Amino acid sequence: MNKPVKDKPTPAKAKKAAPAAQKSKAKPVNLALQGGGSHGAFTWGVLDKLLEDGRIDFEAISGTSAGAMNAVVCADGMANGGKEGARDALAHFWKEMSKSALNSPIKRTPFDMFTGNWSLQNSPGYHFFDALTRMMSPYQLNPMNTNPLRELIEEVVDFERVKQCRGPKLFISATNVETGKVKVFDPHKLTADMVMASACLPMVFQAVEVDDVPYWDGGYMGNPSLFPFHTETECSDILVVQINPITRSGAPTTAHDIMNRINEISFNSSFLKELRAINFVSRLIHEGKLSEKEYRDTRVHIIENQDALIPLGASSKMNAEWAFLEHLRDLGRRSADQWLDTHFDAIGKKSTVDLAEMFHSTGPSY
């Protein structure tokens, strides 16, 4: 049985203004938002708490897939109404997301609802859809290329306002189908197509063309991309909101679990390579082999709650029930609150993730 999370978000309009002293001490960070289907509501909760707390400013946001949607919605809300505007915009987006899924046949069974199981593993609609996408391509299943998600993002985001906003900087990533390389779109030319390209799962949607180039989900080559932070911002702190588990105990034995683990490894590979490169440069700086004047000693922080997210299973990433999205939001808020209590003082001073320890079991950090 899922236990309710006690921490509930303070309504944006009822939130008291932060003291002037608190505002003056706001610390800048670069946000890195992973993709993960409806688990992106966990990221919504993290952002909601950070925005409500007010002690952190977002200098730039890099997002992929659901992370890209959270990024553009947050940026649009901030441009329209500051941090409280961003909170309202994110809440509105996820509420509309749940409404658009009301008529979907991919739902939990009554028994799962009764027992509090958020997974769709027992859903006939989920298994039928999963089998269908393995036998037929989206070009066959959806020749008209209709995508309700695109209509939703166009409805809730003013892209002209996003393109003109002064901050935070947005880095939305997609994978070039032809070259296999990552593409980070120009934030001053950002469109709904670019966001949908970042969220284009190739077995579900037709490739999204931008300037006659086909793109798939950005998670294959950057989940999310960290390298734009090094050249496009002055901030040395990267705060990652992690959804996809890096470590999962044991070897999967069912066909579904094997495919799920393959996808997790694929979507984390580029992210881990960038973290490894950051660790390598940092180590050389600390050893005096590289100059801090020429190379940036990046500080890395991660907000996650794998103990709560891993048991949900991969199928729950397609569960867009409002009750589930609220559950994920509250998990995100609680995780962000705990992280702030423990690590806020370290921002601007040191990493709160031991990258050397993370890569220790896999050999030297080259």
Side-chain angles (χ1 to χ4, degrees):
M1 203 75 164
N2 291 305
K3 296 181 181 179
V5 180
K6 294 182 180 180
D7 183 28
K8 295 293 183 181
T10 303
K13 293 182 180 178
K15 175 75 170 62
K16 293 182 180 180
Q22 185 182 37
K23 288 183 179 180
S24 64
K25 295 180 181 179
K27 296 182 178 182
V29 300
N30 291 320
L31 278 178
L33 310 182
Q34 286 194 330
S38 64
H39 287 195
F42 173 85
T43 300
W44 163 33
V46 171
L47 295 178
D48 188 69
K49 187 63 184 181
L50 296 180
L51 291 163
E52 179 188 81
D53 182 82
R55 289 180 292 167
I56 290 179
D57 284 337
F58 308 153
E59 182 165 332
I61 309 177
S62 178
T64 295
S65 198
M69 294 180 192
N70 276 319
V72 296
V73 171
C74 180
D76 184 39
M78 292 188 75
N80 190 40
K83 291 183 177 181
E84 297 305 323
R87 294 183 65 205
D88 288 336
L90 285 163
H92 175 66
F93 169 74
W94 285 100
K95 184 66 175 179
E96 292 301 309
M97 175 76 80
S98 71
K99 289 180 180 178
S100 68
L102 285 175
N103 297 322
S104 171
I106 305 175
K107 293 181 178 179
R108 290 187 297 162
T109 65
F111 180 75
D112 287 328
M113 292 182 182
F114 177 74
T115 58
N117 177 21
W118 297 113
S119 169
L120 298 176
Q121 270 303 106
N122 300 319
S123 166
Y126 171 76
H127 286 289
F128 177 75
F129 178 76
D130 184 56
L132 200 60
T133 57
R134 295 177 191 276
M135 293 186 293
M136 302 176 69
S137 82
Y139 296 87
Q140 297 169 305
L141 290 174
N142 185 11
M144 300 301 293
N145 200 23
T146 58
N147 189 340
L149 192 55
R150 188 186 193 284
E151 297 173 6
L152 173 60
I153 205 73
E154 285 184 320
E155 178 185 337
V156 300
V157 176
D158 184 337
F159 280 91
E160 290 304 314
R161 183 163 56 208
V162 171
K163 286 186 282 190
Q164 296 172 15
C165 73
R166 298 180 179 178
K169 297 179 180 178
L170 290 181
F171 305 115
I172 305 303
S173 302
T175 302
N176 186 315
V177 177
E178 298 174 330
T179 66
K181 296 179 180 179
V182 65
K183 170 68 174 181
V184 179
F185 295 108
D186 185 341
H188 301 296
K189 298 179 180 179
L190 200 63
T191 65
D193 280 339
M194 294 174 183
V195 178
M196 298 317 302
S198 181
C200 181
L201 292 171
M203 301 305 293
V204 180
F205 303 110
Q206 295 183 23
V208 178
E209 292 196 0
V210 178
D211 296 330
D212 297 323
V213 178
Y215 292 97
W216 281 339
D217 196 295
Y220 292 107
M221 295 307 296
N223 193 23
S225 296
L226 305 182
F227 66 87
F229 295 145
H230 305 314
T231 57
E232 301 298 324
T233 77
E234 298 297 324
C235 181
S236 296
D237 287 83
I238 297 177
L239 176 56
V240 180
V241 182
Q242 184 183 340
I243 294 177
N244 300 290
I246 293 174
T247 302
R248 188 182 286 271
S249 299
T253 56
T254 68
H256 184 271
D257 288 343
I258 290 171
M259 183 57 66
N260 174 45
R261 188 55 184 154
I262 289 172
N263 288 333
E264 286 178 345
I265 292 171
S266 298
F267 274 56
N268 276 324
S269 61
S270 58
F271 172 62
L272 289 174
K273 286 180 180 178
E274 290 201 76
L275 289 183
R276 187 183 290 272
I278 288 173
N279 179 51
F280 181 55
V281 172
S282 179
R283 180 162 62 85
L284 292 180
I285 290 174
H286 292 168
E287 292 175 355
K289 297 177 181 178
L290 290 178
S291 170
E292 233 180 314
K293 294 180 179 180
E294 299 180 16
Y295 294 89
R296 180 179 296 178
D297 188 7
T298 303
R299 297 177 287 270
V300 179
H301 317 277
I302 295 178
I303 297 178
E304 50 85 25
N305 193 334
Q306 297 306 315
D307 289 341
L309 292 178
I310 287 178
L312 295 176
S315 66
S316 66
K317 291 182 178 181
M318 296 187 69
N319 183 353
E321 296 174 53
W322 180 240
F324 183 49
L325 299 182
E326 285 186 305
H327 172 70
L328 290 167
R329 175 203 63 193
D330 293 343
L331 281 174
R333 282 182 54 84
R334 184 174 65 185
S335 300
D337 190 36
Q338 292 172 346
W339 187 90
L340 285 167
D341 285 345
T342 307
H343 298 301
F344 174 77
D345 289 341
I347 298 175
K349 298 177 182 177
K350 63 180 181 178
S351 291
T352 54
V353 176
D354 190 340
L355 295 180
E357 178 64 26
M358 178 184 291
F359 296 116
H360 177 71
S361 61
T362 58
S365 299
Y366 297 135

